[in-house]
Amino acid sequence: AAAELAVALQAEKLILLTDVRGVLADPQDESSLLHVIHPEELALYRESGVLKGGMIPKTECCADAIAGGVKRTHIIDGRIPHSI
């Protein structure tokens, strides 16, 4: 729903808050945060196990928003005060 709203509103940016650090290249290493993911990389990250659980729908939401014309999307750790 968030992606559809962002597209319908012709939003410049979509921000998703989560309760984890973000997408980690190595789930055991908090310092392995992926700062940029391009939509065409998502299938590779899913197949390799980097994306799993609740991060799959979040990244798919971001990809859908981008495909619909939203210029940038962000997944931010909402546990960090003032993270936005």
Side-chain angles (χ1 to χ4, degrees), residues 20-79:
V20 296
R21 178 111 165 93
V23 179
L24 303 175
D26 175 0
Q28 306 304 318
D29 180 5
E30 288 281 319
S31 70
S32 68
L33 181 69
L34 297 172
H35 295 278
V36 176
I37 300 174
H38 298 281
E40 60 273 8
E41 298 172 322
L42 291 177
L44 175 64
Y45 285 132
R46 271 194 308 273
E47 291 167 8
S48 68
V50 169
L51 292 177
K52 54 187 169 190
M55 202 51 74
I56 292 173
K58 287 176 186 71
T59 54
E60 288 177 355
C61 175
C62 290
D64 291 345
I66 294 290
V70 176
K71 292 185 178 30
R72 307 221 6 132
T73 64
H74 303 274
I75 300 173
I76 297 177
D77 186 347
R79 303 171 302 171

Side-chain angles (χ1 to χ4, degrees), residues 6-17:
V7 170
L9 294 169
Q10 298 177 345
E12 198 62 34
K13 185 180 291 189
L14 171 66
I15 299 173
L16 302 177
L17 293 178

